[in-house]
């Protein structure tokens, strides 16, 4: 760290020197700039337009027939050279007369807008031999959402984005997957890089971002060596422009509404179904005719309440709003981009009010970023990026899960919300489940999260040593901290007895300040330093980059996490037609034993512009470009699954059973050894192959890219099969292997048809996986083995005593529902519960032993990861109107409804809205088994009976805009005023029939989960 800090000081000195140099400039001098503009072959270019950036007088000249020009300017001006078919050049006026200005003719995919950002470098799209999908932020819709994942879903080939956690305000948790899964130890979350540094981007505002790229093959991922095996999402933020000063302002307001939310049973339906479940379980009806009648007519709402907690304590819609202001500009010496945004998302709880606090879930976020580029002199450039984010999340002290469980799952007849004496209703069973009390008498907490990021870099040209050589130092420092405050309060409930007295439950306390707490403090520093060499020798072009890096992550209460490595990249092309790239990384991880921490990760790729060959000239009338490319290489992954940190060392626990010493009866804790260490543990090794092509047709109106990919991942951690002679297990061994293969494609069609500008786009990715090696128990039946199957499982989101939670891949195979006792008698004996009767699920006897038990569970290929994911849409503009939309979907994905249909617990009889569709003798074709209060094991066992298709197509977002005419806004002295309306998650097509759940996140709005939201919004965009 001392080394890093010293470099950081050097960078700061560079920056200070640059700023002093900039702001210590001599007063502007008026100059007459003369020069000559030539092409790459040194031939003069006539007609080149030359202007001065930010010149209010619109002064401009053109080159003569010999390419010469003369223009009056000041020493601080920047001249802009533009010519159709050539790359635009910006040069400080004081440097123009020092040599010819060379404009390079733009080839296909090599224009000013054809930039692709790679780690510590940039390439024209034509030069790229790796597989990279890129989208610019300007092509994305403005959505008032707390997470940017909603914007990128379905936009990029090879990138799957799916919600994977709580959707309450401020979370919108989602996961990423690049191409497919080749490790059964993790979900393979990719590395997220923002401007070269590992950072989260989902909480950024869209206006902070210039582009997002997905790096998918070894040709680019090898730069990150041991950390790039799962792919990389590379985010490039916006920077200042030296051509003009622009100010913009966006304002949006919207309404969010749940996609799906549970429909609770009314009191009469609940009581009727409960009676049925009790009788089915061998008991008697709990609710008599008088009670059932009272639930229907509402004659005694205290003794026989009929609540609708979902209606009374959740809103149909909740507000959201977003405001963004940005300014960009610069001159010859400094460029800047500054953006300030504010976002607010209201919770959808209602019904509670406290004079001291508001317990509704509410989220607000403020983002600030400034990116500065300083041109200190012709050899030194310094960049300084500073950003901050403040988020505030308020929530009830009862907790989101507890509150929603009370709202969704408490029976309608459990208790009156308020008793006649004004106290909160409750019972001995539901002592602390009153939603009203949770909101207005349980207290509320506020989490204040502060994030600060800072990056400084300096690039020095070293042409004096070697022409084309430059050096760069790069340092980033991020810090985050969480501060929790709020109000504490407890409440009591009571039940009205038959004699008019009340039986209380719990103890009420007055509202007071709760203890404040600091947590989540994280500090991260990352340092990169190295050299770049870019040089063209006639028809040969060479680019070389080398960097050493080190990162350190510190969090309170944990040991620091460190990474370091050495990355190298060499690119060569001949006549902009033949391209070769070689990348190599040497990096290490402290997860492995000393002496075994470092690995070498090489990769190579090549590309060929075959359309430039003479034998392809016959296709020039329709084919503008055809590039064939391929790559192969090795990348690593040091996150090896659930193994403990430093698993190469032995660890001991002080919590094991001990002994009694002397005459004392108090035992002394003993020390026990954890699983034996494995000093030979190593990282996962991903061998990646990718073959593809890029094509541009019909005057570049149609673009097509396609790739075949294959990955073989070796050294996966798996259980040890070594005999336990010492009575102790071994942590893990690297004896696993798996693969995935598939293809992806992206298509874009852009055409102006009369007054209509039309852009059609789409992408599709297909992948399948296979386990090639895994250690499994001896004597395991073939139908239970994972070997040869795909890396697959469905997600069981909620834990129950019978089903467990997490990932499920082994289950029973169902064969309908028993319709009669005779059918039961003729079937294998099912051992999953005490008794089996008509209305119970029937299972297949896999091993033919006449019994249904755990030996009949089968390894299945049901998967929460889809085999295919895709997106398609269009953007259309006609005169002042514009429309863009995106459909997004998945195929080959499975979900389980086990914990939805069998939700709840013994207190509410495991009843829900789905219980209405249960099996009865009069309804033998029902989709769900009979109701039971006890002995439910047979019908709650993990089986394919509960599996449903998770395939869907969704209108993910749509935006319709109208821009005021240029003639009108010119009188207002603004450059653009646009009004627009939009929507998110508006329409879904799936295979679930009448099942009222969301295929993308089935548990949302049920059990204890915050609902997934659709958003309607309107906004305006103002530019000066």
């Amino acid at each position: 760290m001392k080394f890093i800090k010293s470099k950081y000081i050097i960078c700061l000195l560079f920056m200070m020197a640059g700023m002093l140099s900039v702001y210590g400039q001599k007063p502007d001098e008026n100059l007459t700039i003369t020069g000559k503009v030539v092409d790459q072959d040194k031939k003069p270019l006539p007609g080149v337009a030359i202007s001065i950036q930010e010149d209010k007088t619109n002064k401009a000249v053109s080159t003569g027939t010999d390419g010469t020009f003369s223009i009056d300017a000041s020493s601080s001006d920047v001249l802009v050279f533009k010519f159709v078919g050539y790359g635009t050049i910006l040069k400080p006026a004081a440097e123009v007369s020092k040599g010819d200005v060379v404009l390079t003719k733009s080839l296909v995919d090599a224009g000013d807008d054809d930039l692709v950002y790679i780690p510590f470098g940039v390439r024209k799209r034509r030069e790229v031999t790796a597989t990279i999908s890129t989208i610019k932020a300007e092509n994305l819709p403005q959505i008032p959402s707390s997470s940017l994942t909603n914007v990128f879903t379905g936009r990029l080939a090879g990138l799957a984005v799916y919600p994977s956690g709580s959707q309450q305000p401020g979370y919108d948790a989602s996961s990423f997957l690049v191409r497919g899964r080749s490790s059964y130890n993790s979900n393979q979350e990719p590395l997220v890089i923002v401007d070269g540094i590992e950072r989260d981007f989902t909480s950024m505002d869209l206006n902070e971002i210039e582009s997002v790229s997905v790096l998918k093959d070894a040709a680019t991922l090898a730069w990150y060596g041991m950390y790039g095996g799962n792919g990389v999402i590379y985010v490039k933020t916006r920077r200042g422009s030296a051509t003009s000063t622009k100010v913009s302002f966006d304002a949006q307001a919207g309404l969010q509404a749940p996609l799906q939310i549970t429909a609770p049973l009314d009191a009469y339906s609940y009581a009727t179904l409960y009676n049925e479940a009790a009788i089915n379980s061998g008991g008697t009806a709990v609710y008599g005719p008088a009670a059932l009648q009272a639930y229907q007519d509402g004659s005694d709402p205290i003794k026989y309440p009929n609540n609708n907690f979902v209606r009374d304590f959740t809103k149909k819609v909740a507000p959201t709003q977003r405001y963004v202001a940005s300014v960009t500009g610069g001159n010859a010496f400094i460029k800047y981009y500054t953006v300030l945004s504010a976002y607010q998302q209201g919770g959808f709880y209602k019904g509670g009010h406290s004079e001291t606090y508001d317990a509704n879930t509410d989220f607000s976020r403020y983002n600030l970023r400034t990116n500065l580029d300083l041109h200190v002199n012709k050899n030194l450039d310094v960049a300084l990026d500073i950003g901050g984010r403040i988020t505030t999340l308020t929530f009830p002290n009862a907790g989101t899960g507890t509150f929603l469980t009370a709202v969704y799952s408490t029976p309608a007849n459990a208790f009156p919300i308020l008793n006649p004496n004004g106290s909160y209703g409750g019972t001995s069973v539901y002592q602390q489940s009153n939603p009203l009390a949770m909101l207005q008498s349980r207290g509320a907490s506020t989490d204040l999260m502060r994030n600060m990021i800072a990056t400084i870099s300096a690039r020095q040209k070293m042409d004096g040593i070697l022409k084309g050589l430059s050096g760069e130092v790069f340092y980033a420092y991020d810090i985050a901290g969480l501060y929790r405050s709020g109000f504490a309060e407890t409440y009591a409930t009571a039940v009205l007895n038959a004699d008019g007295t009340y039986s209380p439950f719990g103890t009420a306390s007055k509202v007071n300040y709760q203890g404040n707490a600091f947590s989540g403090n994280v500090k991260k520093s990352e340092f990169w330093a190295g050299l770049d060499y870019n040089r063209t020798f006639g028809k040969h072009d060479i680019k070389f980059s080398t960097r050493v890096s080190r990162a350190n992550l510190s969090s309170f209460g944990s040991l620091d996490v460190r990474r370091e490595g050495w990355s190298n990249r060499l690119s060569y092309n001949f006549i902009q037609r033949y391209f070769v790239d070689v990348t190599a990384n040497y990096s290490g991880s402290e997860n492995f034993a000393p002496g075994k921490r470092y690995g070498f990760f090489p990769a190579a790729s090549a590309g060929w512009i075959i359309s430039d060959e003479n034998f392809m000239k016959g296709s020039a009338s329709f084919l503008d470009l055809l590039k064939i490319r391929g790559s192969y290489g090795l990348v690593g992954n040091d996150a090896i699954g659930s193994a403990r940190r430093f698993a190469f060392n032995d660890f001991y626990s002080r919590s094991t059973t001990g002994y009694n010493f002397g005459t004392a009866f108090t035992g002394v804790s003993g020390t026990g050894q954890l699983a034996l260490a494995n000093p030979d543990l190593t990282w996962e090794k991903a061998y990646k192959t990718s073959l593809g092509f890029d094509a541009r047709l019909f005057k570049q109106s149609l673009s097509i890219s396609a790739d075949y990919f294959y990955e073989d991942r070796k050294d996966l951690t798996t259980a040890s099969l070594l005999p336990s002679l010492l009575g102790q297990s071994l942590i893990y061994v690297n004896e696993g292997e798996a693969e995935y293969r598939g293809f992806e494609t992206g298509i874009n069609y852009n055409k102006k048809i009369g007054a209509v500008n039309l852009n059609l786009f789409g992408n599709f990715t297909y992948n399948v996986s296979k386990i090639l090696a895994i250690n499994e128990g001896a004597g395991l039946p073939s139908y239970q083995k994972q070997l040869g199957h795909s890396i697959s499982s469905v997600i069981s989101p909620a834990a129950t005593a019978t089903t467990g939670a997490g990932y499920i891949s082994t289950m029973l195979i169902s064969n309908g529902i028993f319709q009669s006792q005779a059918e039961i008698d003729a079937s294998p004996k099912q051992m999953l519960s005490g008794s089996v009767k008509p209305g119970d699920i029937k299972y297949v006897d896999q091993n033919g032993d006449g019994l249904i038990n755990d030996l009949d569970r089968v390894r299945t290929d049901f998967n929460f990861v889809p085999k295919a994911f895709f997106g398609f849409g269009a953007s259309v503009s006609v005169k002042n109107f514009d429309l863009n939309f995106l459909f997004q979907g998945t195929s080959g994905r499975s979900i389980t409804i086990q914990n939805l249909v069998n939700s709840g617990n013994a207190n509410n009889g495991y009843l829900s809205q789905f219980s209405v569709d249960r099996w009865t003798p009069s309804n033998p074709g029902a989709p769900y088994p009979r109701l039971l209060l006890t002995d439910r094991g047979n019908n709650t066992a993990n089986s394919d009976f509960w599996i449903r298709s998770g395939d869907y197509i969704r209108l993910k977002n749509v935006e319709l805009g109208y821009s005021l005419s240029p003639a009108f806004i010119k009188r207002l002295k603004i450059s653009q005023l646009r009004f627009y309306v939009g929507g998110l998650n508006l329409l879904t097509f799936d295979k679930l029939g009448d099942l009222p759940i969301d295929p993308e996140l089935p548990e949302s709005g049920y059990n204890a989960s915050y609902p997934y939201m659709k958003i309607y919004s309107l906004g305006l965009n103002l530019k000066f």
Side-chain angles (χ1 to χ4, degrees):
M1 287 300 297
K2 291 181 179 179
F3 174 68
I4 293 179
K5 290 180 179 177
S6 64
K7 291 296 183 182
Y8 178 40
I9 293 172
I10 293 174
C11 291
L12 287 173
L13 292 175
F14 268 128
M15 183 196 71
M16 293 172 63
M19 295 180 69
L20 290 173
S21 177
V22 170
Y23 295 108
Q25 295 285 334
K26 296 179 181 179
D28 286 350
E29 300 179 17
N30 293 323
L31 304 173
T32 299
I33 309 299
T34 59
K36 184 177 182 180
V37 182
V38 298
D39 63 15
Q40 62 267 36
D41 296 324
K42 303 301 181 182
K43 295 181 179 178
L45 286 176
V48 176
I50 305 168
S51 60
I52 301 174
Q53 68 157 25
E54 301 291 341
D55 182 31
K56 305 302 182 183
T57 63
N58 294 319
K59 185 188 302 180
V61 298
S62 298
T63 56
T65 55
D66 59 354
T68 61
F69 67 92
S70 176
I71 187 171
D72 294 330
S74 68
S75 57
S76 64
D77 284 337
V78 171
L79 300 187
V80 182
F81 298 82
K82 283 189 175 183
F83 193 54
V84 176
Y86 288 78
T88 300
I89 293 291
L90 279 70
K91 271 187 169 293
E95 298 179 13
V96 171
S97 300
K98 298 180 181 179
D100 293 341
V101 177
V102 180
L103 295 187
T104 303
K105 189 172 184 179
S106 297
L107 299 172
V108 178
D109 274 359
D112 291 338
D113 297 326
D114 295 320
L115 300 180
V116 176
Y117 294 97
I118 59 176
F120 290 90
V122 62
R123 296 286 188 270
K124 298 294 186 181
R125 186 176 289 109
R126 183 184 183 91
E127 301 174 292
V128 175
T129 59
T131 309
I132 302 175
S133 296
T134 300
I135 189 169
K136 294 184 178 180
E138 64 188 28
N139 296 324
L140 296 171
Q142 301 285 337
I143 297 174
S145 172
S146 64
S147 175
L148 282 181
T149 57
N150 287 316
V151 178
F152 294 100
T153 302
R155 293 279 178 174
L156 292 162
L159 178 65
V161 185
Y162 52 95
S164 58
S166 174
Q167 299 300 301
Q168 79 174 71
Y171 285 87
D172 287 3
S174 295
S175 295
F176 301 97
L177 181 69
V178 175
R179 285 186 164 171
R181 291 179 71 195
S182 60
S183 173
Y184 41 73
N185 293 318
S186 68
N187 291 338
Q188 295 189 229
E189 288 281 336
L191 193 66
V192 177
I193 302 294
V194 179
D195 289 336
I197 300 299
E198 185 178 0
R199 287 171 174 150
D200 176 59
F201 82 100
T202 58
S203 294
M204 296 171 63
D205 188 86
L206 182 61
N207 282 28
E208 297 181 56
I209 295 174
E210 178 181 328
S211 66
V212 174
S213 300
V214 183
L215 315 183
K216 294 175 280 191
D217 66 347
T220 49
L221 299 179
W223 178 268
Y224 294 102
M226 195 175 293
Y227 322 117
N230 297 334
V232 170
I233 298 175
Y234 197 90
V235 180
K236 182 73 171 60
T237 62
R238 297 187 180 186
R239 310 204 70 83
S241 170
T243 58
S244 62
T245 296
K246 296 179 180 178
V247 178
S248 68
F249 175 74
D250 280 276
Q252 287 177 280
L255 294 175
Q256 49 183 339
L259 280 178
Q260 296 288 351
I261 192 169
T262 186
L265 297 169
D266 63 80
Y268 173 78
S269 298
Y270 173 81
T272 302
L273 293 172
Y274 195 95
N275 282 346
E276 181 181 320
I279 294 171
N280 288 344
S281 300
T284 59
V286 176
Y287 300 98
L292 295 177
Q293 182 61 39
Y295 290 139
Q296 285 184 299
D297 59 30
S299 58
D300 190 349
I302 300 300
K303 187 176 181 181
Y304 301 104
N306 184 17
N307 298 302
N308 187 326
F309 294 119
V310 172
R311 178 197 62 201
D312 295 338
F313 294 100
T314 64
K315 301 176 182 177
K316 292 183 181 297
V317 295
T320 180
Q321 51 189 327
R322 171 176 171 260
Y323 305 95
V324 189
S326 66
V327 57
T328 179
N331 55 33
F333 304 104
I334 185 171
K335 293 185 294 183
Y336 58 88
Y337 180 80
T338 298
V339 58
L340 173 65
S341 66
Y343 173 81
Q344 189 274 333
Q345 182 180 1
F348 87 129
Y349 307 159
K350 74 172 183 179
H353 173 72
S354 171
E355 295 181 355
T356 308
Y357 54 83
D358 183 355
N360 192 6
T361 300
D362 185 84
F363 175 77
S364 62
R365 184 185 67 216
Y366 301 91
N367 292 41
L368 173 65
R369 171 183 289 272
T370 295
N371 290 349
L372 293 174
D373 294 285
L374 307 174
H375 182 63
V376 179
N377 55 49
K378 65 179 181 179
N379 293 322
L380 177 62
D381 292 285
V382 175
L384 175 63
D385 302 346
I386 299 176
R389 181 169 62 249
I390 298 175
T391 61
T392 303
L393 175 63
T394 300
F395 54 93
N397 278 350
T400 297
T402 301
F403 176 76
L404 291 178
T405 297
V407 172
Y408 295 159
S409 303
T410 304
N413 65 344
F415 49 76
I417 295 175
L418 288 174
N419 291 314
N421 67 348
S423 63
Y424 296 120
T427 67
S428 59
V429 175
Y430 296 100
Q431 297 184 14
Q432 296 289 306
S433 299
N434 191 308
L436 180 63
M438 289 182 184
L439 289 180
Q440 65 184 20
S441 297
R442 183 63 179 84
S445 295
T446 298
D447 282 350
L448 176 63
M449 174 67 79
R450 298 183 179 94
N451 297 76
M452 187 277 288
I453 62 171
T455 305
I456 184 171
S457 64
R459 176 177 291 276
Q460 175 73 41
K461 293 182 179 179
M462 300 179 179
D463 289 339
I465 300 175
L466 179 65
K467 187 176 181 180
L469 182 67
S470 64
E472 183 183 34
V473 290
F474 187 100
Y475 181 77
Y477 183 80
D478 298 356
I479 186 170
L482 177 66
Y483 171 70
R484 176 171 292 184
S485 61
F487 298 92
E489 189 177 3
T490 59
Y491 64 89
T493 61
V495 61
L496 177 62
N497 300 316
D499 60 2
T501 62
Y502 288 89
S503 295
F505 308 101
T507 302
S509 66
K510 293 183 179 180
V511 63
N512 200 355
Y513 292 104
Q514 69 181 23
N516 300 334
F518 289 92
S519 63
N521 297 319
V522 177
K523 298 178 182 178
K524 182 182 178 182
S525 60
E526 193 164 339
F527 174 78
W528 293 74
L531 301 171
D532 294 291
Y533 177 70
N534 298 331
R535 190 79 182 273
T536 300
F537 301 91
K539 298 179 180 181
H540 306 271
D541 183 80
I542 296 174
K543 295 182 176 68
F544 174 74
S545 296
T546 183
R547 294 290 190 281
V548 293
S549 64
R550 186 169 186 182
N552 190 90
L553 175 67
S554 302
S555 57
F556 183 76
S558 301
L559 294 174
D560 287 3
V561 177
R562 296 185 177 93
R563 288 178 172 180
E564 60 184 26
W566 180 29
S567 304
N568 303 274
R569 180 175 56 236
L570 174 64
S571 301
Y572 167 79
N573 82 71
F574 177 66
I575 60 173
Q576 287 290 311
R577 186 184 305 172
Y578 311 101
F579 304 89
V580 176
D581 290 90
V582 178
T583 307
N585 171 278
Y586 183 73
S587 56
S589 171
E590 61 184 357
N591 289 344
F592 312 108
K596 301 179 180 180
R597 289 179 168 172
Y598 289 85
F600 181 64
F601 304 91
S605 61
W608 176 22
I609 309 291
I610 192 172
S611 56
D612 282 2
E613 300 294 346
N614 289 330
F615 61 80
M616 293 291 291
K617 296 302 181 182
S619 60
S621 59
F622 65 91
L623 181 64
D624 305 296
L625 177 139
L626 176 61
K627 177 170 65 176
I628 300 174
R629 49 183 169 72
S631 67
Y632 177 78
L634 169 64
V635 195
N637 176 35
D638 69 331
I640 55 176
S642 58
R644 65 176 183 257
R645 192 176 179 192
F646 307 132
F648 56 85
N649 277 334
D650 283 315
F651 287 86
Y652 299 84
S653 171
R654 293 296 302 272
S655 61
T656 58
T657 303
Y659 300 92
N660 292 335
F661 291 93
T663 59
F665 291 99
T666 303
V668 178
S669 296
T671 296
Q673 187 175 17
L674 301 180
L676 294 177
N678 181 0
D680 295 320
L681 271 178
T682 188
W683 51 87
E684 297 178 348
K685 299 174 178 63
Y687 296 86
K688 293 177 178 281
T689 301
S690 189
L691 299 172
F693 71 88
D694 302 311
R696 307 288 180 265
L697 301 94
F698 310 120
K699 298 183 179 179
Q700 301 189 52
S701 61
L702 178 63
S703 301
I704 303 174
S705 295
D707 287 87
Y708 164 81
F709 53 82
Y710 173 76
E711 177 177 313
D712 183 7
R713 189 169 294 215
K714 301 178 184 292
D715 286 337
L716 300 181
T717 55
T718 182
S720 169
L721 294 183
L722 298 176
S724 301
L725 296 178
L726 299 178
Q728 188 76 346
S729 60
L730 182 65
I731 184 72
Y732 281 113
V733 293
N734 295 104
E735 296 178 357
E737 182 180 0
E739 66 177 17
Y740 71 70
R741 66 181 71 230
F743 66 90
E744 64 185 27
T745 185
I747 301 176
N748 187 278
Y749 179 74
N750 199 326
K751 185 73 173 179
K752 184 175 178 63
I753 306 173
V756 179
N757 289 301
L758 175 64
N759 179 248
L760 303 174
F761 57 87
N763 64 82
F764 181 86
T765 304
Y766 175 83
N767 74 94
V768 291
S769 63
K770 186 177 182 180
I771 297 175
L772 302 178
I774 187 171
N775 289 340
E776 301 182 270
L780 198 66
S782 59
Y783 58 84
Q784 290 186 344
K785 289 185 176 180
Q786 300 181 60
L787 187 67
H789 282 272
S790 62
I791 303 171
S792 64
S793 59
V794 293
I795 297 178
S796 175
T800 70
T802 54
T803 64
Y807 300 100
I808 303 170
S809 57
T810 303
M811 60 188 69
L812 298 169
I813 303 302
S814 62
N815 189 20
I817 293 177
F818 286 118
Q819 299 296 327
S820 66
Q821 186 62 45
E823 186 181 356
I824 296 173
D825 295 339
S827 300
K829 186 176 181 180
Q830 302 195 172
M831 309 295 293
L832 306 173
S833 61
S835 64
V836 178
K837 294 183 177 180
D840 290 338
I841 302 173
K842 180 181 179 180
Y843 299 109
V844 176
D845 183 8
Q846 298 293 334
N847 59 359
D849 63 357
L851 300 175
I852 302 296
N853 51 30
D854 285 346
L855 294 178
D856 296 298
R857 296 182 183 273
V858 174
R859 170 74 184 193
T860 64
D861 289 327
F862 298 121
N863 204 338
F864 75 94
V865 176
K867 287 185 177 180
F869 46 93
F870 53 86
F872 58 91
S875 60
V876 185
S877 63
V878 183
K879 296 184 178 179
N880 297 339
F881 289 92
D882 62 89
L883 171 69
N884 68 78
F885 61 87
L886 170 74
F887 284 91
Q888 168 261 335
T890 64
S891 177
R893 178 172 175 266
S894 301
I895 60 175
T896 176
I897 62 172
Q898 162 80 298
N899 293 301
L900 300 178
V901 177
N902 293 312
S903 61
N905 49 53
N907 290 336
N908 65 9
Y910 306 99
L911 298 176
S912 68
Q913 69 185 80
F914 303 103
S915 303
V916 175
D917 296 322
R918 81 290 184 199
W919 183 95
T920 64
S922 60
N923 186 25
Y928 310 125
R930 65 191 179 114
L931 301 179
L932 291 168
L933 298 182
T934 59
D935 197 22
R936 306 173 69 247
N938 187 87
N939 296 337
T940 58
N942 289 325
S943 75
D944 67 342
F945 184 88
W946 304 108
I947 302 299
R948 299 292 185 272
S949 171
D951 298 354
Y952 68 91
I953 297 176
R954 167 168 286 162
L955 179 57
K956 190 65 179 178
N957 53 63
V958 62
E959 185 175 288
L960 174 64
Y962 175 79
S963 300
L964 298 183
S965 65
F968 178 76
I969 62 175
K970 186 176 182 180
R971 295 198 297 267
L972 301 178
K973 299 188 181 300
I974 59 178
S975 61
Q976 178 177 302
L977 179 56
R978 177 175 176 264
F979 299 93
Y980 55 94
V981 294
L984 174 73
N985 296 331
L986 296 183
L987 187 62
T988 304
F989 304 92
D990 56 48
K991 298 179 180 180
L992 296 173
D994 295 330
L995 195 61
I997 63 174
D998 181 67
E1000 191 173 10
L1001 194 63
E1003 68 271 19
S1004 61
Y1006 292 89
N1007 292 330
S1009 298
Y1010 203 90
Y1012 202 21
M1013 295 290 186
K1014 65 176 66 175
I1015 298 176
Y1016 306 92
S1017 64
L1018 57 89
L1020 67 86
N1021 173 251
L1022 180 63
K1023 293 183 179 180
F1024 297 92

